[in-house]
Amino acid sequence: MSTLDPGFHSETPSTAPSVVQNSHTTSTLNLHMDEKPSVTGTVEKRTTAIRPIHGWKWVVSCISIYTTALLYGLDTTIAADVQPDIVKSLGQIEKLTWVGAGFPLGSVAIILPLGYAYGLFELKTLYIASIILFEAGSALCGGAPTMDALIVGRVIAGAGGAGMYLGVLNYLGVFTTLRERNFYNSLVGLVWGLGCILGPLVGGGFAVSSATWRWSFYINLVLAAVMAPFLILYLPSHSPRPKENVTSKLRNMDWVGIVLIAAVYTTYTMALTFGGAQWAWDNYRFIVMIVFFGISLICFIMSQYFNILTTKEYQLFPGHFLRSRTLILIFIGTSACSCTLFIGAYYIPLFFQFARSDSAIMAAVRLLPFICLSITFIMLNGAFLPKFGYYMPWYLLAGVFMTAGGACMYTIDSDTSPSRIYGYSILLAIGCGAANQSGYSIAAAKVKPEEISAAIGFVNVAQIGSIVISLTIAGTVFQNLAYENLRSALVEYGFTESELRSAVAGTQSAVFQRGTEEVKQLAVKAIIKSMDSVFILTIAAGAVTVVAAAFMRREKLFMQTVAGG
């Protein structure tokens, strides 16, 4: 792949905005050219622009679209602290992993097709449609009569959420100037991070109130209803290809790639979610699902390599990026940081609920040091990385802290003090925050201007895809080891398999409700012991990041800030 010189600053013209997911997109901004010295001392022409929306209409438009970014962050973590209440209400502990993994699964399965669609179809229509899809999924989650319905709702909401987030990035890419775009993009990351912080608190607050956990999802409907008039009346329209009809646009989409990438993530998640819980590891259903995963992955790779029923211009995945050492390494680093962030967000509150019998809201409060430090370091990285340009030290710092924090979390037991957990979580937070978002800016600086949007989508797949992979693996490890540990520890007490599995979901099971104090202590120790093994993933993530950093170039990039989700 042809990459830019490390000293080159790619200021994309508005005909290929850095956050719009297709290089053919045209902007509605009024353009003029000026001349400025480049970083090499020569005179280069740069495109500047005049934003067509001003005053209160622009303020209202920004508030409206940033609210949808907040909702996307909120739903990313809102299930972290309400899982015991969901299982108490709906049962089926063996499917609990889907509650956390379903949302990012819906996002990652659709992120590439949606990113591509934003470069073809009318911006406002696709954005509003994504919001409607997100709200439909949220409504289904809130009113879910069964665990299966809740899971379907989470997947639907995840798909709509990805569309909302990409819509925000595209609006800012089309309707802001180059000079102000970095500022508005940084606000996207800030608002998304705020949503992630509020997610466990909002979920925990509803779980312990008379509203119940269902309002953790219904709240999305209320916020969307408030913003709907502004979104409909004041958001401007924009068509990236106004002369191309809808039939032609649909025909040009890489439908083979779209179907296969969705199959890859779905079969993988189903295999690891049901494996060991509902399906024995040697059960034919688990084996069949793994085989289908392998076949889907191979077929997707082949379809992209040989451009089956598509062309190189329209292929879904930018496979030529895999020829770049830097892009591969930041893909790995981004995946590792995202893995650590979400394992911490889901399993630190779970520790306090078991080990300290905390309520959902109290467990969420105890998560604040981890979330706040993560967001702080994401913001520090966003501020200083473009300023100084050296990216390798950030990944090295991230890897060291994630490894140290993961190793400390591996030593916890039921008697570990809260202060030590806070300290360990801070180490994890510094690590995952230090490089979680940097891949977006690095990728934008390492590719040709017309490939920036594809590079951002490439990193987005790493970030969202790793959430699915890490939560699925962590859920499988935790549920299976916890059940085995409980069965060994309580073999003399005659609890049934369903009672032991329900104990893994929370303290409302028969084990904790009817068991003696001795039984409760044995159960907590067994469950916390299995939780230790989950944090092995964060140790591995940190070690992989250190290795990736060691192979990165010691170069300085002149880059612009771009936001990810």
Side-chain angles (χ1 to χ4, degrees):
M1 184 193 74
S2 175
T3 58
L4 299 179
D5 181 83
F8 186 88
H9 174 37
S10 60
E11 288 227 283
T12 52
S14 61
T15 53
S18 63
V19 294
V20 178
Q21 301 296 304
N22 190 286
S23 61
H24 296 283
T25 299
T26 56
S27 174
T28 58
L29 301 181
N30 300 314
L31 305 177
H32 68 273
M33 303 296 294
D34 62 2
E35 292 188 347
K36 294 185 178 181
S38 70
V39 292
T40 59
T42 61
V43 175
E44 64 176 358
K45 291 194 175 187
R46 298 189 180 190
T47 306
T48 58
I50 301 172
R51 176 161 40 81
I53 311 172
H54 301 279
W56 65 271
K57 288 187 178 181
W58 176 245
V59 173
V60 169
S61 296
C62 285
I63 292 174
S64 300
I65 65 174
Y66 282 131
T67 299
T68 60
L70 177 72
L71 290 178
Y72 186 57
L74 193 73
D75 262 49
T76 301
T77 58
I78 203 165
D81 211 27
V82 298
Q83 295 180 92
D85 297 272
I86 290 174
V87 172
K88 181 182 178 182
S89 176
L90 302 179
Q92 293 186 290
I93 172 62
E94 69 277 1
K95 298 180 180 179
L96 183 62
T97 301
W98 281 92
V99 176
F103 187 81
L105 172 62
S107 294
V108 77
I110 206 72
I111 195 76
L112 286 174
L114 271 179
Y116 186 81
Y118 270 109
L120 291 175
F121 299 97
E122 206 283 320
L123 175 57
K124 184 174 181 178
T125 301
L126 193 55
Y127 179 55
I128 296 295
S130 297
I131 295 174
I132 293 173
L133 185 64
F134 174 77
E135 297 302 330
S138 299
L140 180 55
C141 288
T146 64
M147 183 68 84
D148 289 337
L150 177 65
I151 293 167
V152 171
R154 288 287 285 168
V155 174
I156 293 173
M164 288 195 314
Y165 194 83
L166 288 175
V168 174
L169 296 181
N170 276 271
Y171 261 110
L172 295 178
V174 172
F175 293 103
T176 61
T177 67
L178 284 173
R179 295 184 186 280
E180 64 188 7
R181 190 170 300 152
N182 288 345
F183 170 74
Y184 285 103
N185 279 336
S186 65
L187 289 180
V188 178
L190 177 62
V191 171
W192 176 81
L194 179 62
C196 289
I197 292 174
L198 294 175
L201 292 172
V202 171
F206 281 125
V208 299
S209 72
S210 58
T212 75
W213 60 268
R214 295 182 181 277
W215 269 91
S216 301
F217 304 106
Y218 283 144
I219 189 65
N220 295 331
L221 304 178
V222 176
L223 294 176
V226 171
M227 303 311 301
F230 304 103
L231 291 168
I232 295 171
L233 296 176
Y234 298 114
L235 277 186
S237 299
H238 170 73
S239 180
R241 296 190 180 188
K243 296 182 180 180
E244 190 174 347
N245 59 47
V246 175
T247 302
S248 176
K249 293 176 181 179
L250 290 172
R251 186 172 58 248
N252 287 331
M253 294 191 73
D254 182 7
W255 292 107
V256 174
I258 290 171
V259 172
L260 288 175
I261 193 63
V264 167
Y265 281 105
T266 303
T267 52
Y268 161 82
T269 306
M270 289 183 66
L272 288 192
T273 298
F274 295 131
Q278 285 186 292
W279 304 337
W281 296 115
D282 58 353
N283 184 278
Y284 77 93
R285 288 173 292 185
F286 173 77
I287 296 172
V288 167
M289 199 59 63
I290 286 293
V291 170
F292 273 115
F293 162 71
I295 293 173
S296 300
L297 181 60
I298 293 172
C299 289
F300 177 74
I301 294 171
M302 298 293 284
S303 74
Q304 299 302 292
Y305 186 82
F306 293 107
N307 299 317
I308 298 174
L309 298 182
T310 186
T311 64
K312 186 175 182 180
E313 180 185 6
Y314 294 108
Q315 70 181 42
L316 191 65
F317 185 79
H320 61 286
F321 287 171
L322 299 179
R323 301 172 188 167
S324 168
R325 183 178 79 182
T326 299
L327 291 182
I328 291 174
L329 293 175
I330 65 171
F331 188 99
I332 294 171
T334 301
S335 298
C337 290
S338 189
C339 165
T340 300
L341 175 63
F342 281 86
I343 286 180
Y346 272 78
Y347 285 92
I348 290 174
L350 204 58
F351 168 85
F352 284 112
Q353 286 180 295
F354 279 112
R356 296 290 176 269
S357 300
D358 283 351
S359 65
I361 188 66
M362 186 59 196
V365 170
R366 292 186 188 271
L367 183 64
L368 284 177
F370 175 78
I371 294 293
C372 291
L373 261 294
S374 299
I375 299 303
T376 298
F377 272 82
I378 287 174
M379 294 173 62
L380 289 174
N381 174 264
F384 290 107
L385 178 61
K387 183 176 181 179
F388 295 105
Y390 292 101
Y391 58 89
M392 188 278 286
W394 289 95
Y395 283 95
L396 183 61
L397 176 72
V400 169
F401 274 88
M402 285 192 294
T403 304
C408 291
M409 290 298 293
Y410 181 68
T411 67
I412 63 174
D413 55 38
S414 58
D415 298 321
T416 303
S417 66
S419 60
R420 287 174 61 188
I421 299 296
Y422 296 150
Y424 300 160
S425 67
I426 287 173
L427 293 177
L428 287 176
I430 293 173
C432 63
N436 189 272
Q437 297 289 95
S438 57
Y440 292 95
S441 295
I442 298 167
K446 292 294 291 183
V447 301
K448 293 180 289 187
E450 64 269 22
E451 294 181 325
I452 288 179
S453 60
I456 293 172
F458 179 78
V459 178
N460 219 354
V461 170
Q463 188 175 73
I464 299 177
S466 69
I467 299 173
V468 178
I469 294 170
S470 59
L471 289 182
T472 304
I473 294 175
T476 300
V477 169
F478 174 65
Q479 289 188 35
N480 285 284
L481 286 182
Y483 171 72
E484 292 298 330
N485 291 345
L486 279 172
R487 189 174 65 173
S488 298
L490 305 179
V491 64
E492 300 176 359
Y493 296 91
F495 289 105
T496 65
E497 179 180 347
S498 62
E499 289 173 334
L500 293 177
R501 290 200 179 277
S502 64
V504 179
T507 56
Q508 283 80 21
S509 71
V511 173
F512 292 100
Q513 294 298 316
R514 300 198 303 267
T516 64
E517 192 62 34
E518 181 184 6
V519 167
K520 294 177 183 178
Q521 291 180 1
L522 289 173
V524 168
K525 288 182 179 179
I527 292 172
I528 298 299
K529 180 63 177 176
S530 62
M531 201 175 294
D532 293 350
S533 300
V534 170
F535 286 98
I536 293 177
L537 290 174
T538 63
I539 300 175
V544 167
T545 305
V546 171
V547 173
F551 284 96
M552 289 180 180
R553 300 181 189 277
R554 276 62 167 173
E555 63 183 353
K556 181 178 181 180
L557 298 179
F558 190 44
M559 62 185 69
Q560 60 187 25
T561 303
V562 279

